[in-house]
Amino acid sequence: MRLAIDQLCASAPLDQAAVDRFLARREVPVVEGAWCTFLYRGEADEVFLNHRIFGRPDHLPLRRAGRTDLWYLVLELPEGARVEYQLEVARGGQREQINDPLNPELSRSPLGGSSILYAHGHQIPDWTQPDPQAPPGSLTEMVVASRALRRDCRVTLYRPPRFRRPASYPLLIVHDGGDYLEYAQAKTVLDNLIHRQEVAELVAAFVYPGDRLTEYANSAAHARYLTAELLPRLEAELPLAGGPSGRGLMGASFGAVASLATAYRQPEVYGSLLLQSGSFVFTGSGEARDGGPPFESVVRFMNAYRARPRRVADRMFISCGEFEPLITVNRAMLGVFEGTGMAVRYAEAPGGHSWEDWRDQLRAGLSWIFPGPRQVPGG
């Protein structure tokens, strides 16, 4: 297969007009089967691609196309991949890291956005987009005065469509709740999956951290807040199912650690865990780098759990992106979790450590821990 960039470089004359025509006819990056061509146009001394694909050099040089101001790099990527990246442009002794000016697709996160490449075969799931046929659930705010955390704790409550008092609903507590709502479209996802009857009608409590790296790193105070303060209040005020089978914890990255640690510290309280890209670092894992005291606390917890693993829930769903370094620890923990007798489901996708990647695994995860009347294929 002769790529478009190869045809351009072989054309005569290879001038700025040829580059203009080339770019006018194509979306950037240029995706041709498994081959993806990253481009930058502008005067520069050097241009580099900074990406987040674990196992590949993350600082790759682009080549200049002849004597034009077009720079390019071709990568082979797996079917359905999603890659976040930026460009580093060196000019006159100065270096600047920027999003791709030729690509309008940007990720969204609390740390800012990056450019996104959607490789061949990638599809944004339709259930992540607003569906006019799906009745909307409701969001309301509450505040819990926590003695355990010594602060007022904000909670956003999701009630499903057709919420009614005589019913009995399972409860899902979601770490980093504001981020799941804003960057992973959690309300839209719940509305759609409940409407499709793939996920049970449920109540979700989206919780917000204070000092996130402290509270989510195996904190006894955080576990007490969820179990001894938030949970009793919700079960007193709402028609919840109660019991382990009706309670679940969910989180991504450090939020996954907080979910696991809370279930570990409060045995036989939570029946389901949904853990995404868990920061399950342990001694010798290669990811226990110098992350300061929060990571040290996580390492101690994971070392202790690996030394004496035990069942902390009935059902567990784990997902991780193939392009993120945490894939190694998540794969390593899979057998440990399964060995305790928990029913574990594991999913990988060619993506990274981002809210959009976590969003795209919610259908599989939610339908596994709280299945609706209509089973998802493989569920």
Side-chain angles (χ1 to χ4, degrees), residues 32-114:
E32 300 166 280
W35 302 100
C36 302
T37 304
F38 296 84
L39 299 169
Y40 173 74
R41 191 174 193 185
E43 288 302 326
D45 300 322
E46 293 179 298
V47 182
F48 295 89
L49 175 73
N50 293 334
H51 62 78
R52 300 183 179 97
I53 305 177
F54 177 61
R56 300 192 186 190
D58 57 6
H59 192 68
L60 299 171
L62 277 67
R63 299 176 58 186
R64 186 190 291 269
R67 295 184 179 181
T68 71
D69 61 355
L70 184 70
W71 300 75
Y72 70 93
L73 170 68
V74 179
L75 288 182
E76 184 179 11
L77 293 172
E79 180 86 4
R82 177 187 176 279
V83 177
E84 294 190 12
Y85 70 96
Q86 289 186 309
L87 298 171
E88 183 178 312
V89 181
R91 187 186 303 111
Q94 302 295 318
R95 291 182 176 270
E96 181 183 17
Q97 186 158 300
I98 61 172
N99 290 327
D100 186 344
L102 298 175
N103 179 8
E105 298 290 345
L106 292 174
S107 67
R108 297 174 62 245
S109 83
L111 302 178
S114 298

Side-chain angles (χ1 to χ4, degrees), residues 23 61 72 109 131 134 137 158 196 218 220 249 254 257 259-260 266 269 331 362 373:
L23 293 176
Y72 70 93
S109 83
D131 180 357
Y158 171 86
R196 297 182 183 196
N218 185 32
L249 295 168
F254 254 54
V257 175
S259 299
L260 177 65
Q266 304 290 337
V269 174
R331 287 171 176 168
L362 286 179

Side-chain angles (χ1 to χ4, degrees), residues 82 106-113 128-130 139 141 154 156 158 174-190 206-208 250 354-359 362:
R82 177 187 176 279
L106 292 174
S107 67
R108 297 174 62 245
S109 83
L111 302 178
T128 69
Q129 308 304 305
L139 295 178
E141 298 293 322
R154 177 187 174 190
T156 301
Y158 171 86
V174 183
H175 289 90
D176 293 311
D179 292 338
Y180 265 106
L181 287 168
E182 183 170 358
Y183 303 116
Q185 292 77 55
K187 180 182 182 297
T188 296
V189 169
L190 285 171
F206 293 90
V207 300
Y208 297 72
M250 170 174 145
S354 73
W355 287 103
E356 188 170 322
D357 290 301
W358 296 329
R359 177 202 67 188
L362 286 179

Side-chain angles (χ1 to χ4, degrees), residues 213-275:
L213 294 184
T214 298
E215 292 180 3
Y216 285 7
N218 185 32
S219 163
H222 176 72
R224 285 198 306 273
Y225 157 62
L226 292 185
T227 307
E229 296 174 335
L230 175 62
L231 184 59
R233 177 168 169 181
L234 294 178
E235 293 188 342
E237 297 181 3
L238 296 167
L240 300 178
S245 64
R247 302 180 189 131
L249 295 168
M250 170 174 145
S253 192
F254 254 54
V257 175
S259 299
L260 177 65
T262 297
Y264 182 85
R265 287 178 174 275
Q266 304 290 337
E268 300 183 8
V269 174
Y270 303 97
S272 299
L273 300 179
L274 198 166
L275 312 177

